[in-house]
Amino acid sequence: MTSAPSHTAPSTPAAPSAPPENVSGEKSMATLSQLRMGVKLFVFHNNSGEHRLAEILSIDIRKDSPRYYVHYNEFNKRLDEWVTADKLDLSREVEWPRPDKPTKKTEKKGKASKAEPAKDGRPQKRPKVSRESVGPVTPKAPGPRQRRGTIGTDDGLVIQSEDIGEGSPEDMDIDDDEAVAEETPAGRTKTAKADGEFRQPEGFSKENEIEKLRTSGSMTQSAHEISRVRNLSRIQMGKFELEPWYFSPYPVEYTQADMVYICEFCLSYFDSPRRFERHRGKCNLMHPPGNEIYRDQNVSFFEIDGRRQRTWCRNLCLLSKCFLDHKTLYYDVDPFLFYCMAVRDESGYHLIGYFSKEKESAENYNVACILTLPQYQRHGYGKLLIAFSYELTKREAKLGSPEKPLSDLGLLSYRAYWQDTIVDILLDWKGGDLTIDELSNCSAMTTQDIIHTLQNLNMLKYYKGQHVIVLTDAILAQKERQRERQRAKGGFRTLNPENLIWKPPVFSAASRTWNW
Amino acid sequence: MTRSAGNRFRTRKLSTKQSLAILRENQIDSVDDDAQRHIPQIETGVERQEEIEHHLQAAISAHQAAAVGSKESKKVFIPTPNTTELSAEQYAKLYPKKFQQPFSYIRSSATVEDCCGTSYCMSEEDDKYLAELNAAQAKANLPTITEDEFESLIELYENQIKEMQPYLTLDVNNIIGYDELAASFIADMNDNVRSVSRPIYDYWRGHKIVRTGKSIIPCLKFEQGNEKDEGDPYVCFRRREVRQVRKTRRTDAQSTDKLKKLRQDIETARGLVNDVRQREVMRKNSYKFDMQIFEQRRIVIDLKRKHGIKDSDEDLVNKPQPKRRQAEPAAPPTLRIPIRQDGKPPDADLRHLSTLRAEEEKRRLEKYNQLRKLRPLSKYPLLDVTHDTLGMHMPSATVTTPPPTKYCNVQTFYLPSPPNSAESLPSSPIEESPSENSPQVSIVQASPSKTSQDVPSFRRRVGRGGRILIDRRGRSTPTTPMDIDPVMADRMKYDHDDEDSEAQHHEIMVDPSSALQIKFRARLNTPPPDNHSITLRRQVMAGSPVLIAPGAGSPNAQMRLPNGHPPPGMTQHVIMTPNGVPGVAYPRPPLGPPGR
């Protein structure tokens, strides 16, 4: 339920976060047919029962009526959804996408994409063969029909570049935008021709579009746009059916399926119920494929080496990417260990959640990604996972902190754990005064996280010329309530460190060089 | 105001090493909020764009409210999409309850591939096709195949095509035909499968073409090595770039060494394996022999029966092999010294160097005596001193100072020249030397002996280290012309390039039996000259201007006086040659002419 990406590019939090109202492009009334990606308008949000400002991220046609993938302003992306046209409020002005937001995005993506995946996914060993440009793609319903609704710089145009090495003469006129020019020196004109063709009906001149393309860096965005739209419809896993929250790079063919079936034990994925049934008949895995390192009456933990269980760990990452926005699957799983929590019953060990951990973290992170599967969330498992990660860190005689950024849910979970841990230590402390270092050593938390927590809870005060830790009445009351709740539930899940049979794994220099 | 300003001034930064009192809220009365600012603000760790999200903010503020003690402790959750649960029957159908919890912690290293059997799984479409196919087969009275067989056949095709046409996606129409594809595994199929393998190939081929050559079951997109991969969100699990190590000569050398060592190790391993192989071969042979022995014994038994021989039958059983037992104590590689049975010290069997030497000496003597018998020396009154090169036991072999020379004292050893190994030469001095001087011992000097012989003879030998040695015989010393400065003359003594001119020099006739010569020889036993003369000689040789006045009582003068003529021997270095024959090494220049 919490996320921290393992390898995110440094975020650029500065400008784009400003309220869009102030910086965005012009506003005007619009008709349904004028809507395109990037437009912001008010959309009725079912759960809150009100109209909210939302951005159209993708448009697609289903059963001859368009539907729109919208991202609600100030809502997490996991609440993005497909809406039908009747949910859109066109009685108010819509906000057109600013044509000029190139630099930031280009920077962010760096040298990233100049083209999005060819729809057929054909591996392109020889660029010359597959140079023809491909139409715009939205993952939901690819096909020519969707082009109707897609205008503007943000649509998912696929632009294939000419051979860069040959330096065709067209390079000459586009050197004003270096970031893009570098990547697609020659493909411009071609591209422009390609989209000009479907744009003309909407009444845009070809030249304008070329200009837009050039200045807005939409080519680098195209890939980005794809990953902004959730690509799987539903997932069936074990006993549950769930909705994915975010994009996950399962094979692009699976995005067509109404339901993706995931085997609870080997985490393999299938797009047809029959295939899945056949697989279940053959699969004899009944627990995470590694060594059990912890077991108590409730849960077990398994340690799995990404290098040794590559398929399983990849499957796990694909699955967890559905629920972790900032996770990236850019690199392979080899440099990570995966600690998987499972509950047991007669059919096997059911995966509840996991966290991954770098085999060697340069920055002393004790968690890379951490997730409680959505079907098991709000049962206290997240806290157990976090506690286990600190238990391992204690065993290693280190201090640790989760890799940043945290997700919203991650932050809340960690804060809850930190508060709990620190308050428990303070209540049990018999030794009089206490330094933050001592607190840190007891909990394996970094001093920064401790100060952060204390401060957040308003427990660090300056009194009579000295800093003091104050156990406020509110905190104590909260603790008391929590204990009551636990008693009511009949004992709360906690870890018993004695059940942890584990030694920190050691990796040789050679394996570090060659294995990941 | 002043107070708070003063406080701010005094407030120290919060240190992690600082002891902090743990207080309850009622233990403090007033808190200066200003001072809070000195605690560094720490970021939440959430991306800033997301930090402002509505639900998170709501949750945070609710939490904050609880922390500061607001009464309404309503839990605020961040909404997430819903999950629904399958029915229990549905679940049980897919996940049978057959798991048995092991008592100990599970340890497993089986991979997904190990656990999932055939990777291909039939779809609904495959079902339909297979049903039709089986129906057709049944109608034609041909065997049908199971779903598992169908799946494994498809998997076979998939794997085979991946191997044979890895770039099929470039041109799927080029897909190879059934015969070629199935050639390698058609033999392994059972008959049922073989009978339908061709129609299934066509079915599979159709799918393959629809999939434009890609795997029928969609698989993850991995990097293909082109730049497009970078931005493709579907490309995942890239290999991490291995950091390029800078190449230097040192690293080169290191890797060379590593490779060498590796090579060596592998060679060693290979040798070991080879040895093991040999051992096993020998073992096999030994069993073979055992068997042969056994067979032979059977024959013996038969023969014995036939002939009615009754004995102890000892030849029919293996006797304990003493050899093996001997080998056993050597097997443990410990260095313990075994205790001897006979009570002698453990090293009693070790041979001492002295005994070795004694043995060596004995052997040598035997050989010498043997050789002596062979040699025709007995007819000469000679004592063979070949092995007694230093003349230690020779009463007559002399290590003496040379007779007074004209200018220089050179320590010279006169050593007996050995007999020739060949038959005695006519020119050999031994023949002519008068035997009356000493009845049995004839000391043959390497230097002048025969004045009567006009023609000097030389013998060239190659000595130790490749030195060329010239043995010289019957050469007289040229006299120094009187008109040349004697010192200079001495220095120039050997500076002759031309051998012929030397040969024409006037020779001094010496009668060895003359009183003078006898007297000279008698002087051979005088003690070596004192140091002074040697020093003087050195000075002379070094060319230092030492003035020697004739008859001035200097040792040189004195030395010259008794004889009045140069000593019979040239200054020469006697060199012991390997075969114990003393040789003469000339100073460099006269090395020229080979002997005789």
Side-chain angles (χ1 to χ4, degrees):
Chain A
M1 67 185 270
T2 61
S3 92
S6 35
H7 315 285
T8 21
S11 58
T12 51
S17 65
E21 284 83 0
N22 308 334
V23 289
S24 61
E26 33 185 303
K27 291 181 180 179
S28 70
M29 300 301 285
T31 65
L32 205 57
S33 61
Q34 281 177 315
L35 293 179
R36 51 188 163 113
M37 287 157 82
V39 170
K40 283 180 180 152
L41 75 170
F42 279 88
V43 178
F44 185 76
H45 183 242
N46 260 346
N47 282 6
S48 59
E50 56 178 15
H51 281 89
R52 294 196 64 90
L53 188 68
E55 182 187 350
I56 297 176
L57 296 181
S58 183
I59 302 172
D60 125 31
I61 309 273
R62 270 222 171 160
K63 294 173 188 122
D64 292 329
S65 55
R67 46 174 212 157
Y68 304 85
Y69 192 79
V70 293
H71 167 69
Y72 296 101
N73 214 15
E74 293 186 347
F75 275 14
N76 189 277
K77 272 163 67 183
R78 71 174 75 86
L79 299 181
D80 294 359
E81 58 184 353
W82 289 97
V83 295
T84 48
D86 59 298
K87 294 280 165 66
L88 307 180
D89 182 2
L90 292 174
S91 63
R92 289 197 242 182
E93 288 186 325
V94 304
E95 191 183 303
W96 301 101
R98 278 189 311 146
D100 263 333
K101 42 181 179 176
T103 40
K104 245 113 223 163
K105 290 224 168 179
T106 327
E107 261 171 31
K108 191 169 183 175
K109 291 302 284 181
K111 279 214 153 199
S113 63
K114 63 173 161 245
E116 97 176 64
K119 238 172 76 281
D120 55 6
R122 188 185 295 165
Q124 291 164 345
K125 292 254 176 214
R126 292 185 210 158
K128 276 184 184 169
V129 181
S130 57
R131 203 174 301 131
E132 74 285 322
S133 63
V134 185
V137 175
T138 40
K140 260 292 135 97
R145 286 177 306 170
Q146 75 191 77
R147 285 172 184 159
R148 210 185 332 154
T150 61
I151 331 156
T153 54
D154 279 345
D155 64 2
L157 274 173
V158 173
I159 296 134
Q160 306 279 339
S161 79
E162 289 280 350
D163 277 2
I164 296 166
E166 285 165 27
S168 59
E170 281 119 326
D171 307 16
M172 312 288 272
D173 58 346
I174 46 154
D175 45 6
D176 53 339
D177 185 352
E178 285 171 19
V180 185
E182 228 180 9
E183 294 157 6
T184 57
R188 296 300 175 83
T189 349
K190 238 191 172 170
T191 312
K193 268 179 216 151
D195 25 316
E197 274 163 28
F198 359 90
R199 282 187 190 160
Q200 241 125 27
E202 270 85 27
F204 286 88
S205 76
K206 197 199 279 180
E207 288 71 27
N208 271 349
E209 288 309 298
I210 297 174
E211 188 56 36
K212 267 187 188 167
L213 260 178
R214 188 181 295 164
T215 50
S216 68
S218 78
M219 279 171 288
T220 55
Q221 283 174 32
S222 58
H224 187 59
E225 294 306 320
I226 288 226
S227 57
R228 283 180 75 183
V229 178
R230 179 165 57 229
N231 56 346
L232 299 188
S233 317
R234 272 184 94 68
I235 292 172
Q236 182 193 309
M237 181 193 174
K239 207 183 272 190
F240 300 91
E241 275 180 20
L242 31 146
E243 260 178 56
W245 298 356
Y246 307 106
F247 174 90
S248 179
Y250 278 102
V252 71
E253 293 85 351
Y254 284 72
T255 60
Q256 318 259 8
D258 293 327
M259 177 87 78
V260 171
Y261 300 85
I262 291 175
C263 174
E264 197 182 6
F265 297 120
C266 72
L267 305 181
S268 302
Y269 36 88
F270 302 88
D271 57 355
S272 99
R274 173 65 181 149
R275 280 194 207 278
F276 179 54
E277 196 192 313
R278 287 289 306 167
H279 165 77
R280 280 304 310 153
K282 291 182 280 189
C283 178
N284 56 18
L285 203 60
M286 293 206 180
H287 53 80
N291 293 342
E292 197 175 6
I293 56 172
Y294 177 88
R295 187 193 283 179
D296 62 22
Q297 67 274 22
N298 298 310
V299 298
S300 284
F301 275 90
F302 285 78
E303 181 182 57
I304 295 153
D305 185 335
R307 178 170 163 71
R308 294 177 182 220
Q309 295 287 350
R310 204 172 278 161
T311 309
W312 196 87
C313 292
R314 281 174 174 172
N315 290 347
L316 178 62
C317 284
L318 285 168
L319 176 66
S320 66
K321 178 70 190 80
C322 289
F323 309 106
L324 299 176
D325 192 14
H326 290 287
K327 183 175 178 62
T328 147
L329 305 185
Y330 193 90
Y331 287 118
D332 212 343
V333 291
D334 292 28
F336 294 93
L337 290 167
F338 295 81
Y339 294 93
C340 301
M341 184 165 72
V343 289
R344 300 173 300 270
D345 69 10
E346 302 98 316
S347 41
Y349 280 76
H350 306 278
L351 182 70
I352 282 181
Y354 83 103
F355 64 88
S356 57
K357 181 173 180 171
E358 287 170 280
K359 287 173 178 171
E360 217 149 277
S361 171
E363 312 194 42
N364 263 339
Y365 290 134
N366 63 354
V367 160
C369 288
I370 180 165
L371 171 79
T372 308
L373 290 172
Q375 61 267 39
Y376 296 105
Q377 285 176 6
R378 291 192 199 163
H379 290 85
Y381 287 120
K383 206 176 136 193
L384 220 51
L385 270 176
I386 295 173
F388 191 76
S389 75
Y390 279 107
E391 210 52 59
L392 294 186
T393 310
K394 279 181 205 166
R395 207 46 84 83
E396 289 174 302
K398 285 183 183 170
L399 305 180
S401 184
E403 193 176 315
K404 313 294 181 305
L406 294 169
S407 71
D408 48 358
L409 293 167
L411 178 71
L412 294 185
S413 303
Y414 264 99
R415 279 191 173 177
Y417 172 81
W418 289 337
Q419 173 182 347
D420 226 35
T421 311
I422 290 174
V423 171
D424 278 344
I425 292 175
L426 291 178
L427 285 175
D428 293 345
W429 187 257
K430 300 280 185 283
D433 288 2
L434 178 70
T435 70
I436 290 180
D437 278 339
E438 282 167 323
L439 256 179
S440 164
N441 287 334
C442 293
S443 59
M445 288 162 56
T446 59
T447 54
Q448 211 181 19
D449 288 340
I450 288 171
I451 294 174
H452 171 91
T453 309
L454 289 176
Q455 199 178 5
N456 220 9
L457 296 173
N458 219 8
M459 288 167 72
L460 262 188
K461 307 253 176 176
Y462 198 72
Y463 175 64
K464 288 187 180 164
Q466 274 189 335
H467 287 287
V468 292
I469 297 173
V470 181
L471 280 166
T472 61
D473 297 341
I475 297 288
L476 294 174
Q478 217 177 350
K479 190 83 204 165
E480 198 44 50
R481 276 201 300 278
Q482 188 194 343
R483 281 183 178 163
E484 255 165 47
R485 265 204 310 277
Q486 284 174 21
R487 269 197 293 276
K489 273 186 191 170
F492 196 70
R493 295 189 189 96
T494 47
L495 292 177
N496 182 3
E498 285 170 16
N499 289 4
L500 174 63
I501 304 179
W502 182 74
K503 260 184 204 162
V506 181
F507 297 94
S508 69
S511 76
R512 262 171 298 176
T513 312
W514 301 104
N515 294 1
W516 67 76
Chain B
M1 210 52 207
T2 44
R3 193 176 143 247
S4 81
N7 259 348
R8 197 178 299 147
F9 180 71
R10 281 202 306 272
T11 308
R12 278 167 299 171
K13 222 179 145 189
L14 178 63
S15 154
T16 58
K17 293 189 173 42
Q18 185 185 330
S19 279
L20 306 174
I22 305 168
L23 304 174
R24 300 290 150 105
E25 205 167 2
N26 54 21
Q27 290 171 289
I28 53 173
D29 35 21
S30 71
V31 166
D32 189 357
D33 275 340
D34 258 359
Q36 300 298 312
R37 292 182 200 150
H38 293 270
I39 301 162
Q41 276 294 329
I42 292 170
E43 289 186 6
T44 57
V46 175
E47 278 210 5
R48 224 169 277 176
Q49 279 151 295
E50 286 170 23
E51 220 172 351
I52 57 161
E53 278 171 3
H54 176 80
H55 296 111
L56 177 62
Q57 284 305 320
I60 287 176
S61 48
H63 194 80
Q64 214 87 18
V68 293
S70 85
K71 282 289 152 228
E72 37 146 2
S73 62
K74 203 187 106 205
K75 269 269 183 186
V76 178
F77 288 112
I78 292 179
T80 55
N82 290 325
T83 62
T84 51
E85 208 166 323
L86 295 183
S87 67
E89 304 90 68
Q90 238 178 323
Y91 180 73
K93 196 182 143 212
L94 288 167
Y95 299 90
K97 294 185 175 180
K98 54 181 184 183
F99 180 68
Q100 295 219 317
Q101 157 92 44
F103 179 74
S104 59
Y105 285 15
I106 290 173
R107 299 184 69 83
S108 157
S109 59
T111 62
V112 172
E113 288 81 358
D114 297 337
C115 297
C116 290
T118 320
S119 65
Y120 184 76
C121 295
M122 289 176 78
S123 66
E124 292 81 353
E125 198 191 344
D126 297 336
D127 273 345
K128 222 180 281 170
Y129 170 78
L130 186 64
E132 281 168 20
L133 183 76
N134 275 340
Q137 290 283 105
K139 208 177 263 178
N141 249 343
L142 289 167
T144 57
I145 63 162
T146 63
E147 292 168 339
D148 291 341
E149 285 168 330
F150 178 83
E151 283 178 354
S152 50
L153 188 59
I154 295 276
E155 196 187 17
L156 261 179
Y157 287 142
E158 281 286 298
N159 292 342
Q160 192 68 15
I161 198 82
K162 219 183 276 169
E163 213 167 278
M164 296 177 79
Q165 288 189 305
Y167 299 114
L168 187 65
T169 48
L170 298 178
D171 184 6
V172 73
N173 293 318
N174 256 339
I175 188 165
I176 55 176
Y178 167 77
D179 294 317
E180 203 181 331
L181 185 72
S184 63
F185 53 83
I186 192 102
D188 303 331
M189 290 188 221
N190 69 36
D191 294 337
N192 290 4
V193 177
R194 196 178 305 141
S195 68
V196 293
S197 61
R198 190 178 289 271
I200 289 176
Y201 166 80
D202 293 331
Y203 174 77
W204 166 81
R205 185 174 181 275
H207 277 262
K208 201 77 181 168
I209 287 173
V210 170
R211 293 277 298 150
T212 64
K214 287 180 297 180
S215 147
I216 292 187
I217 295 281
C219 54
L220 294 176
K221 225 168 152 184
F222 296 111
E223 57 189 329
Q224 301 290 336
N226 51 19
E227 288 175 39
K228 272 188 64 203
D229 296 342
E230 274 296 298
D232 185 343
Y234 280 97
V235 174
C236 47
F237 303 127
R238 294 166 177 82
R239 295 300 307 160
R240 198 159 288 233
E241 306 88 1
V242 176
R243 211 186 301 126
Q244 278 294 318
V245 186
R246 223 162 61 91
K247 257 187 130 178
T248 61
R249 194 169 293 195
R250 214 178 108 241
T251 58
D252 269 0
Q254 276 172 347
S255 33
T256 315
D257 287 349
K258 264 183 205 161
L259 281 178
K260 273 185 197 159
K261 197 171 170 289
L262 196 66
R263 169 89 203 246
Q264 258 173 12
D265 289 353
I266 291 171
E267 285 287 347
T268 315
R270 200 178 68 111
L272 278 174
V273 171
N274 207 24
D275 290 351
V276 168
R277 202 199 65 140
Q278 273 179 1
R279 187 191 67 197
E280 294 306 316
V281 166
M282 285 165 86
R283 218 174 249 180
K284 191 180 142 204
N285 288 339
S286 117
Y287 288 138
K288 234 185 246 167
F289 292 138
D290 281 354
M291 202 178 106
Q292 275 176 14
I293 291 170
F294 177 76
E295 296 290 337
Q296 300 290 331
R297 277 179 183 154
R298 270 184 50 214
I299 297 170
V300 169
I301 289 171
D302 286 347
L303 285 173
K304 277 186 174 175
R305 278 211 193 118
K306 212 169 166 186
H307 297 282
I309 299 170
K310 276 177 192 167
D311 60 6
S312 58
D313 283 348
E314 256 173 38
D315 48 352
L316 296 184
V317 281
N318 279 334
K319 283 174 202 119
Q321 290 170 1
K323 240 189 189 175
R324 254 185 212 164
R325 231 187 287 139
Q326 257 182 9
E328 265 167 2
T334 47
L335 280 172
R336 186 175 300 167
I337 299 162
I339 296 158
R340 290 175 63 98
Q341 301 296 321
D342 52 5
K344 285 182 193 167
D347 56 347
D349 279 350
L350 293 178
R351 311 178 74 198
H352 289 282
L353 185 61
S354 51
T355 53
L356 268 178
R357 278 197 177 141
E359 273 171 32
E360 182 73 17
E361 180 66 15
K362 211 178 136 197
R363 253 205 312 278
R364 194 185 61 76
L365 269 172
E366 272 167 20
K367 196 181 172 192
Y368 161 72
N369 288 330
Q370 219 176 341
L371 281 172
R372 210 178 150 187
K373 275 175 207 157
L374 289 174
R375 284 185 177 179
L377 286 176
S378 46
K379 56 181 174 182
Y380 305 113
L382 286 175
L383 181 67
D384 191 339
V385 290
T386 309
H387 292 291
D388 207 2
T389 46
L390 291 179
M392 280 150 143
H393 311 297
M394 282 270 297
S396 49
T398 48
V399 183
T400 59
T401 48
T405 56
K406 213 185 208 169
Y407 309 109
C408 313
N409 273 318
V410 176
Q411 201 160 34
T412 311
F413 292 89
Y414 292 93
L415 291 171
S417 177
N420 279 329
S421 42
E423 277 297 320
S424 55
L425 299 163
S427 61
S428 168
I430 301 158
E431 270 181 296
E432 277 115 327
S433 66
S435 55
E436 65 266 24
N437 269 357
S438 54
Q440 294 206 333
V441 178
S442 158
I443 295 170
V444 182
Q445 292 177 348
S447 50
S449 56
K450 264 190 56 93
T451 49
S452 55
Q453 197 164 346
D454 293 336
V455 188
S457 63
F458 299 92
R459 183 171 67 163
R460 178 177 174 272
R461 289 180 293 109
V462 178
R464 219 177 351 196
R467 279 181 303 176
I468 294 170
L469 306 173
I470 306 293
D471 292 344
R472 172 198 58 133
R473 186 176 289 143
R475 251 198 88 197
S476 54
T477 322
T479 36
T480 315
M482 294 308 285
D483 52 339
I484 300 175
D485 176 354
V487 173
M488 290 306 289
D490 185 49
R491 201 181 298 163
M492 306 296 280
K493 204 167 183 178
Y494 302 107
D495 285 358
H496 298 292
D497 286 328
D498 196 351
E499 204 66 35
D500 293 337
S501 63
E502 205 173 358
Q504 285 163 5
H505 276 291
H506 168 71
E507 309 217 343
I508 301 162
M509 310 297 276
V510 178
D511 178 12
S513 54
S514 70
L516 193 66
Q517 285 296 312
I518 290 166
K519 194 178 165 194
F520 157 64
R521 283 204 289 277
R523 284 184 62 116
L524 288 178
N525 284 327
T526 52
D530 56 33
N531 280 341
H532 176 66
S533 64
I534 292 170
T535 330
L536 187 68
R537 177 189 152 247
R538 281 197 192 130
Q539 284 170 344
V540 170
M541 296 314 268
S544 57
V546 179
L547 188 70
I548 304 164
S554 77
N556 275 335
Q558 278 174 348
M559 267 179 237
R560 199 175 42 164
L561 285 175
N563 311 14
H565 66 87
M570 286 170 59
T571 328
Q572 49 186 217
H573 304 272
V574 177
I575 289 170
M576 300 311 297
T577 52
N579 55 2
V581 177
V584 179
Y586 276 94
R588 272 244 174 88
L591 260 182
R596 280 206 281 218

